[in-house]
Amino acid sequence: MELDVYKSYVKQIQRYPLLKFEEEAELAESILSGDQRAKIRLVQCNLRLVVSVAKKFTTQKVSIMDLIQEGNIGLMTAAAKYKASYKTRFSTYAYSWILQYMLRYLYNKCPLISIPHRKDEMLRRISAAQNFLFQQTGHMPSEKELAVYLGMTSEALKNLLQYSYSVSSIDLECGDDTNTTVGDLIEDTTFSPEKKFMNAVTIHEIRTLLSVLPHNEQLVIYHRYNLAGEHKPKTLREVSTMLGVSTETVRQMEIRAIKHMQEAVLNSSENGITV
């Protein structure tokens, strides 16, 4: 049904011709003088722009005709504010207005975090109950009061409230007397001094263990596990080319080297020596 309406609408707006820049400038001047016909013509000749923008945001949950309706409001707002002195095409100027109205609709229509429909409906009931009880009693109701009013257990109410959320900008300032934002308080997980230190200690211990190995086995471990930390670990083929042996030989050398290092660690632990 909606598809038929959409096709019919697109067919209707195609009869309005695209305007040249000079025509847009003339219409803009007329609009400033209060000519409503000029405004209607400017809008009608740019309805196809709204459709092209709406296509980018249409999903199964959002009707394209609803988006077009919101975009048309933005288009009319742009037509009322557009001036020829901007020295730009009307479509360029109107695009941001169309986008603004569509995004505002999407933010109100589609939650940023989707939750099951039944739980979303219950959260709305809880919010309505909170407002009603606040108006009746003059204070925000406790969880126990809400549970009694809604006819559910306190545990069921707590489980539902876990689905409730609010969205804030990370650029929101945390207080009136500070420039600290929410983003400043979020932990930076991209860098960990403790992890960096432990990695450095691990590499140092491995390099110490290399002394128990023959020279070629040292080279195999050094390059296979990138102990220099400057390049990617070398492949078996790369190490075999460097040492002038087969890849199978390198693989066997790596296995022997790891076994010798493990034995060295066990022996040092039994003798009470820290390696």
Side-chain angles (χ1 to χ4, degrees):
M1 180 65 179
E2 185 188 34
L3 182 59
D4 294 335
V5 174
Y6 169 73
K7 288 181 178 179
S8 176
Y9 175 78
V10 171
K11 186 176 181 179
Q12 289 178 19
I13 65 176
Q14 284 177 346
R15 70 172 184 260
Y16 301 115
L18 297 178
L19 300 174
K20 297 180 180 179
F21 177 70
E22 293 77 11
E23 294 175 308
E24 293 176 348
E26 291 177 5
L27 290 173
E29 292 294 336
S30 299
I31 292 171
L32 289 176
S33 302
D35 189 343
Q36 290 301 311
R37 289 186 177 181
K39 181 180 177 181
I40 293 173
R41 176 168 169 75
L42 184 61
V43 169
Q44 288 175 336
C45 293
N46 284 275
L47 290 173
R48 278 178 279 187
L49 173 63
V50 176
V51 174
S52 65
V53 178
K55 287 180 180 179
K56 300 177 182 179
F57 298 100
T58 304
T59 65
Q60 292 181 347
K61 295 182 179 180
V62 180
S63 165
I64 189 170
M65 292 308 299
D66 288 342
L67 277 176
I68 289 173
Q69 182 177 355
E70 294 297 321
N72 285 344
I73 297 175
L75 180 64
M76 289 186 287
T77 303
K81 295 177 178 292
Y82 178 66
K83 296 179 182 179
S85 59
Y86 292 158
K87 302 297 182 182
T88 184
R89 295 300 303 266
F90 175 70
S91 58
T92 303
Y93 175 77
Y95 182 87
S96 60
W97 284 100
I98 296 169
L99 190 63
Q100 177 183 332
Y101 274 78
M102 285 188 183
L103 292 178
R104 183 184 301 172
Y105 171 77
L106 288 172
Y107 291 154
N108 293 330
K109 180 75 174 178
C110 305
L112 296 178
I113 303 174
S114 298
I115 60 177
H117 174 71
R118 290 183 61 186
K119 290 183 171 57
D120 182 54
E121 184 178 351
M122 286 303 301
L123 287 175
R124 293 179 186 275
R125 284 186 57 196
I126 292 171
S127 178
Q130 284 178 322
N131 293 333
F132 175 77
L133 292 175
F134 176 76
Q135 293 174 359
Q136 294 295 317
T137 63
H139 69 272
M140 289 302 293
S142 64
E143 289 186 358
K144 184 176 181 181
E145 291 172 327
L146 270 176
V148 172
Y149 179 79
L150 293 169
M152 62 177 62
T153 65
S154 296
E155 183 178 357
L157 179 64
K158 288 180 180 179
N159 290 335
L160 282 169
L161 290 175
Q162 292 178 357
Y163 287 89
S164 181
Y165 69 89
S166 61
V167 179
S168 298
S169 169
I170 61 174
D171 295 321
L172 181 68
E173 293 186 356
C174 298
D176 297 333
D177 57 345
T178 177
N179 292 326
T180 303
T181 65
V182 174
D184 295 331
L185 302 179
I186 299 176
E187 180 184 2
D188 182 7
T189 58
T190 60
F191 175 75
S192 171
E194 295 85 357
K195 186 176 181 180
K196 182 178 180 180
F197 173 75
M198 292 306 298
N199 286 340
V201 170
T202 301
I203 291 176
H204 173 74
E205 296 293 339
I206 292 175
R207 285 176 175 171
T208 302
L209 287 171
L210 288 178
S211 61
V212 305
L213 304 176
H215 179 67
N216 280 353
E217 290 185 6
Q218 289 184 28
L219 291 176
V220 169
I221 297 298
Y222 190 85
H223 292 290
R224 287 285 290 140
Y225 294 90
N226 190 28
L227 297 184
E230 298 176 352
H231 308 286
K232 295 188 298 183
K234 292 186 181 298
T235 64
L236 290 173
R237 184 176 296 277
E238 289 173 333
V239 178
S240 68
T241 301
M242 182 179 63
L243 298 180
V245 295
S246 67
T247 55
E248 178 60 24
T249 300
V250 173
R251 190 179 71 83
Q252 293 295 334
M253 291 171 66
E254 182 179 349
I255 294 173
R256 286 198 304 271
I258 293 174
K259 182 178 179 181
H260 291 156
M261 293 169 70
Q262 290 174 337
E263 291 174 350
V265 171
L266 290 175
N267 292 334
S268 62
S269 298
E270 292 175 356
N271 296 326
I273 301 174
T274 301
V275 178

